[in-house]
Amino acid sequence: MLRDGSLAEWYRDAAPPFVPGMDVAGTIDEIAGDVESVSGQSVSLGMEVVGIVDNHGRHGGYSEYVALPAKSVTRKPAGTRPVRWPS
């Protein structure tokens, strides 16, 4: 939606730079001290996950790294390749 311009008005007052994108997929490389599980499953470094970013600002899914609340993350779907995880 952002690429086709349908969200242009939503970002009208956002001062650049801002990073678009909501869907993310990747590997956990850091865990906050108060996080013990993701979607009811224990969490560990190297765990492959998908997540949703509240991207109204400078920290969208097109970022190289994102920090998300545990409730916004889940394990990747079994048997899938990374390109399909957030779909």
Side-chain angles (χ1 to χ4, degrees):
M1 291 185 291
L2 186 63
R3 285 186 239 171
D4 72 12
S6 61
L7 291 180
E9 195 58 31
W10 192 40
Y11 282 95
R12 181 174 46 90
D13 295 327
F18 61 89
V19 180
M22 292 182 69
D23 300 339
V24 295
T27 304
I28 294 178
D29 68 354
E30 191 170 335
I31 303 169
D34 61 343
V35 175
E36 295 179 8
S37 67
V38 168
S39 301
Q41 300 177 0
S42 63
V43 66
S44 61
L45 294 176
M47 182 175 163
E48 295 175 323
V49 296
V50 295
I52 299 292
V53 177
D54 177 5
N55 69 326
H56 194 70
R58 298 167 196 233
H59 55 273
Y62 290 9
S63 299
E64 184 174 357
Y65 292 94
V66 294
L68 297 174
K71 67 182 180 183
S72 295
V73 177
T74 191
R75 283 186 178 268
K76 74 166 181 80
T80 60
R81 298 179 323 159
V83 72
R84 299 281 183 206
W85 295 351
S87 297

